[in-house]
Amino acid sequence: MKNSPIETVQVYEANKKGPDWSRRRFLHALSVLGAGPLLLRRLFPIDEPPKPVFTDVTADAGITWRHFNGFSPDRYLIETMGGGVGLFDFDSDGWLDIFLLNGGETPHGKSSKPLQNALYRNLGNGKFVDVAADAGLHRVRNYGMGVAIADFDNDGHPDIFVTGFPACTLFHNNRNGTFTDVTGDAGLQNVGRWASGAAWFDYDRDGFLDLVVCNYAEFSFEGIAPKCEYMNVRTYCEQRAYKGMPLTLYHNNRNGTFTDVSRSSGLDRFVGRALGVVAIDIDSDGWPDLFVARDASPNLLLLNKHDGTFVDAALDAEVAFDSNGNAKAGMGVDIADANGDGLPDVAVTNFNFEFHSLFLNRGKFPLEDWTRTSHLAALTRSEVGWGVHFIDFDNDGLLDLMIVNGHVIEVIAALQSQVTYKERPLLLHNLGNAVFEDMGSRAGPAFSQDYLARGLAIGDWNNDGAPDAIFTCIGERPVLLRNNLGQPNSWIGLHLTGVRSNRDAIGAKLTLRVADRKLVRWLTGGSSYLASHDKRVLFGLGSLPGDRRVDVEIVWPNGNAQIATSLEINRYHRIVEQVSK
């Protein structure tokens, strides 16, 4: 293991503490000097209501783009499922930008104006401007579904992979603010398939990112769509009316091209309706695995066999089916350490009355179904969940959960009185040991409103050390959320740069020890639903004093270990992989 002295480069001025931080520090100083509560109240009357955790700043930020889904009397199921979104720094100016993927038209669902994707450039002052046309990303080429963003050619600039029907698209970052469609040259068309989620990950650890694509179902706009009715109203047929498809795995040839290795890897055997995917080393053998959430098809836990093949361990792990042997309607998935034991745990969103699932990793199979104990069963009973992500919104070191929801059947309230068509998002606070409470109205007005939400991306778009979020909505504007609560606690952020590992360091494991706590985070591929996230890794440090320094152990994707020492907290650091000469 190599020690890394002060080789880290602080690349962001991101040690802001929020507008009232100075006031809090002054109050604390007065209390230490002996000022009593009465004097403090007279000096600083507390008459302001507490700030919500998140504020909807969509309008203030200048985001006006709307999703279009081709809603039609034919009720094609694809109309209900899109909404890709990505948070990434496309122009390398240190600020996260936003890519929003449109859906598309259907035979009887046409748009009154040309459809466009959006690329909102972050101006660094809370405002964004759409530069998609200038960047060459505005045109809608297929019916769009999801977004997977990563630096596939290790040139230091993030590229964009877009899933959809009847083909996918790879946009190469030209390093000058523009992108070029290189799909044909790369061999990533995935022609004729309805592709949903996707994840970049280096399954063979050769230092270049490979790509797994979730294919949902056999589908066509030709002919007659499956016809279903509720209460004499035409509506969308359930997913079982659509036959599932196998996964696609592409190997990076390290020259800008990819080879379809679905058959040789064994992934083409897994036929089902796949949606969400996350790549992480779940069995701690040093090689990235895959968890695939599938809709009315058994979930997959694909373990990497180190030889280019995968084996499904979902049955052994008891994550394929529910306790009654039924496959749930899995949509989104994320994996992180929910209970602080240093092992990766799994959250999966499902249909109403199935409950969103939480599986704890005890270091062996089977995983422990923690859905009821965590309170997820009670909190998500009537929801249809999509995007999901572990997020330490208050920087206390415990990973909380954000989940966005929305039904697919317009008349569902008439059929099931406890269920609504539009549904509210959930911000679930981790009370410790992966037991959660709903923040409810304390989370902010956006969490008291109902949406047809789908994609959810997490990232610190204002560089203040508190994780923010954005989620998409079917046929509506997205919702951009600013975190108001994370700044009072201490934090540290790491931006990893691979050298022998892939440039984005996807697959890295980071361990920070502070006081008697060990905080473990992973840089995963994929996760949530149709979304791509900030690749900087945030650690919430609670009340750790601002003058403390910390060490972080990094196990890079290729297995090399390195320690970044004496890092200042309350700021971001860039850590470059150290290699032997």
Side-chain angles (χ1 to χ4, degrees):
M1 181 178 297
K2 303 183 182 70
N3 281 328
S4 172
I6 309 300
E7 58 157 20
T8 60
V9 181
Q10 295 159 6
V11 292
Y12 306 107
E13 291 186 4
N15 55 345
K16 305 172 190 173
K17 298 293 186 176
D20 60 343
W21 182 73
S22 297
R23 176 177 181 270
R24 288 195 306 273
R25 289 294 298 269
F26 184 51
L27 285 171
H28 176 71
L30 286 176
S31 65
V32 170
L33 293 173
L38 181 59
L39 174 59
L40 291 176
R41 282 197 297 271
R42 287 177 177 172
L43 288 172
F44 297 98
I46 302 173
D47 53 4
E48 298 180 4
K51 282 187 178 181
V53 180
F54 287 96
T55 298
D56 180 351
V57 295
T58 312
D60 291 342
I63 295 176
T64 59
W65 175 91
R66 299 175 75 92
H67 178 263
F68 184 84
N69 69 328
F71 180 81
S72 74
D74 301 310
R75 298 297 195 270
Y76 290 105
L77 190 59
I78 199 171
E79 299 168 11
T80 71
M81 298 176 66
V85 57
L87 287 170
F88 73 127
D89 182 8
F90 85 91
D91 53 0
S92 301
D93 67 351
W95 297 90
L96 289 180
D97 311 298
I98 304 169
F99 180 65
L100 292 158
L101 179 65
N102 222 323
E105 296 182 325
T106 59
H108 298 106
K110 303 298 182 181
S111 175
S112 60
K113 57 183 180 180
L115 296 184
Q116 293 191 348
N117 304 315
L119 176 64
Y120 279 101
R121 182 173 181 269
N122 190 337
L123 301 180
N125 59 359
K127 304 292 184 180
F128 292 77
V129 59
D130 188 0
V131 297
D134 293 337
L137 294 173
H138 62 295
R139 189 164 73 88
V140 174
R141 300 161 187 258
N142 301 293
Y143 195 106
M145 288 290 294
V147 176
I149 298 174
D151 181 7
F152 78 86
D153 56 354
N154 288 340
D155 68 353
H157 297 266
D159 312 296
I160 305 173
F161 182 74
V162 169
T163 65
F165 174 81
C168 298
T169 310
L170 177 64
F171 294 102
H172 179 257
N173 191 326
N174 298 324
R175 295 177 275 182
N176 61 2
T178 69
F179 291 78
T180 298
D181 181 349
V182 296
T183 316
D185 292 340
L188 292 180
Q189 297 94 328
N190 204 45
V191 174
R193 294 185 168 186
W194 173 2
S196 51
W200 294 99
F201 73 127
D202 184 8
Y203 76 83
D204 56 356
R205 305 202 320 180
D206 68 349
F208 283 77
L209 291 171
D210 312 298
L211 180 68
V212 62
V213 180
C214 295
N215 299 302
Y216 183 69
E218 295 182 4
F219 181 75
S220 174
F221 285 126
E222 307 295 329
I224 301 174
K227 185 176 182 179
C228 296
E229 293 183 348
Y230 288 94
M231 302 176 63
N232 297 319
V233 176
R234 180 75 181 269
T235 189
Y236 298 98
C237 292
E238 66 174 14
Q239 67 281 78
R240 292 177 179 84
Y242 295 81
K243 184 179 178 181
M245 293 286 288
L247 303 170
T248 309
L249 180 63
Y250 292 102
H251 177 256
N252 191 331
N253 299 324
R254 299 186 283 181
N255 61 2
T257 70
F258 292 78
T259 298
D260 186 341
V261 293
S262 307
R263 176 169 296 182
S264 61
S265 66
L267 263 63
D268 69 340
R269 301 196 309 269
F270 303 112
V271 177
R273 290 168 290 270
L275 288 175
V277 58
V278 59
I280 190 173
D281 178 14
I282 200 165
D283 57 359
S284 301
D285 67 350
W287 293 73
D289 312 301
L290 295 171
F291 191 105
V292 182
R294 301 203 297 180
D295 189 6
S297 304
N299 294 326
L300 302 173
L301 179 55
L302 302 175
L303 299 183
N304 191 327
K305 301 303 292 180
H306 315 174
D307 59 2
T309 67
F310 293 79
V311 61
D312 184 21
L315 286 176
D316 292 338
E318 296 184 2
V319 296
F321 303 96
D322 67 14
S323 58
N324 297 316
N326 299 315
K328 291 185 177 183
M331 267 78 86
V333 58
D334 193 26
I335 299 182
D337 181 13
N339 60 346
D341 65 356
L343 296 172
D345 310 304
V346 184
V348 183
T349 53
N350 300 299
F351 213 72
N352 60 269
F353 301 140
E354 292 181 344
F355 318 133
H356 302 350
S357 303
L358 181 63
F359 301 101
L360 292 190
N361 186 344
R362 301 298 190 183
K364 60 182 180 179
F365 293 158
L367 302 185
E368 185 173 354
D369 189 341
W370 202 247
T371 304
R372 294 184 183 276
T373 307
S374 68
H375 300 163
L376 270 189
L379 294 171
T380 66
R381 182 174 183 271
S382 60
E383 319 304 312
V384 175
W386 302 87
V388 55
H389 209 280
F390 286 101
I391 171 175
D392 184 3
F393 70 82
D394 53 358
N395 278 335
D396 67 352
L398 294 171
L399 289 176
D400 313 297
L401 269 174
M402 186 181 292
I403 302 172
V404 296
N405 306 288
H407 217 282
V408 297
I409 300 173
E410 304 99 305
V411 296
I412 189 63
L415 300 171
Q416 298 173 340
S417 59
Q418 302 175 56
V419 183
T420 59
Y421 180 43
K422 294 184 176 182
E423 298 175 336
R424 68 184 184 95
L426 294 172
L427 183 64
L428 305 181
H429 184 226
N430 192 338
L431 301 176
N433 198 30
V435 176
F436 296 89
E437 67 168 349
D438 184 1
M439 292 295 291
S441 61
R442 293 172 292 169
F447 292 82
S448 299
Q449 298 181 36
D450 296 328
Y451 308 89
L452 295 179
R454 295 298 185 262
L456 168 68
I458 302 298
D460 181 13
W461 57 260
N462 58 356
N463 282 343
D464 66 353
D468 310 299
I470 184 171
F471 62 87
T472 60
C473 303
I474 293 290
E476 299 289 346
R477 288 195 311 172
V479 177
L480 180 66
L481 299 173
R482 184 191 66 221
N483 187 330
N484 303 311
L485 196 65
Q487 299 90 340
N489 277 329
S490 294
W491 57 276
I492 191 169
L494 302 180
H495 183 176
L496 304 185
T497 300
V499 176
R500 288 187 179 165
S501 300
N502 68 84
R503 177 83 179 206
D504 285 337
I506 292 173
K509 177 182 178 181
L510 301 92
T511 303
L512 186 153
R513 291 176 172 84
V514 56
D516 59 346
R517 300 177 68 183
K518 180 177 77 170
L519 305 178
V520 180
R521 304 290 184 261
W522 291 264
L523 188 47
T524 62
S527 87
S528 188
Y529 178 76
L530 307 182
S532 193
H533 316 276
D534 189 352
K535 290 182 173 56
R536 298 173 298 179
V537 179
L538 271 173
F539 288 89
L541 301 175
S543 58
L544 192 70
D547 58 355
R548 284 284 300 273
R549 292 176 179 259
V550 298
D551 300 342
V552 179
E553 177 188 344
I554 303 163
V555 179
W556 295 89
N558 63 11
N560 292 335
Q562 173 179 341
I563 297 178
T565 61
S566 193
L567 301 177
E568 290 185 53
I569 66 173
N570 299 322
R571 64 178 59 242
Y572 283 101
H573 301 263
R574 187 187 299 274
I575 312 293
V576 179
E577 182 181 11
Q578 196 173 68
V579 297
S580 300
K581 295 183 179 179

